[in-house]
Amino acid sequence: MRKSTGALSGHWEFPGGKQEPGETLRDCLVREIKEELSLSIVTGEYVGVSHYQTASVNIALHGFLVHEWTGVMQLTEHDALKWLPAQSLLALPWSPADVPLVTSVVDKYS
């Protein structure tokens, strides 16, 4: 999904967000996809983790495959969405925190 506002406006990122206390990583993704895309999902294989740090933030971005979803997709926080084969992912300008995870997806699935 492409960010529409903020410092990384125009950059692409995987959907997701901050894990809440007591929430598993999978539960976090299910909740975030519901909030960001209005979809209910079933998570699949764990893809890996991307670590990214700046002077003010430390991010651990965990990736999962999604095999099933239901609902009508609605973008709530982004201005565009693309479905791409793994080998095409690196053609997009990704948010820096997502780059290692994108590389892992390309390496594993293309």
Side-chain angles (χ1 to χ4, degrees):
M1 299 184 318
R2 187 175 60 199
K3 291 197 58 88
S4 58
T5 60
L8 294 173
S9 177
H11 285 80
W12 292 82
E13 63 182 9
F14 288 117
K18 293 179 184 169
Q19 186 179 15
E20 294 181 354
E23 195 174 50
T24 68
L25 291 172
R26 290 177 188 274
D27 290 343
C28 176
L29 182 59
V30 168
R31 177 185 51 76
E32 288 285 341
I33 295 293
K34 187 69 165 175
E35 292 174 3
E36 292 183 7
L37 297 173
S38 299
L39 297 175
S40 296
I41 64 166
V42 176
T43 60
E45 176 185 349
Y46 181 75
V47 174
V49 61
S50 170
H51 294 281
Y52 183 74
Q53 186 169 349
T54 68
S56 60
V57 68
N58 186 13
I59 297 171
L61 179 65
H62 297 270
F64 293 88
L65 295 182
V66 173
H67 296 289
E68 299 176 35
W69 62 88
T70 57
V72 177
M73 188 178 313
Q74 298 175 359
L75 293 175
T76 60
E77 300 178 16
H78 297 80
D79 66 358
L81 174 83
K82 286 188 180 191
W83 296 99
L84 297 170
Q87 65 270 18
S88 299
L89 291 175
L90 291 173
L92 298 176
W94 286 91
S95 174
D98 287 75
V99 171
L101 192 55
V102 172
T103 302
S104 291
V105 169
V106 171
D107 290 347
K108 273 183 140 174
Y109 301 103
S110 61

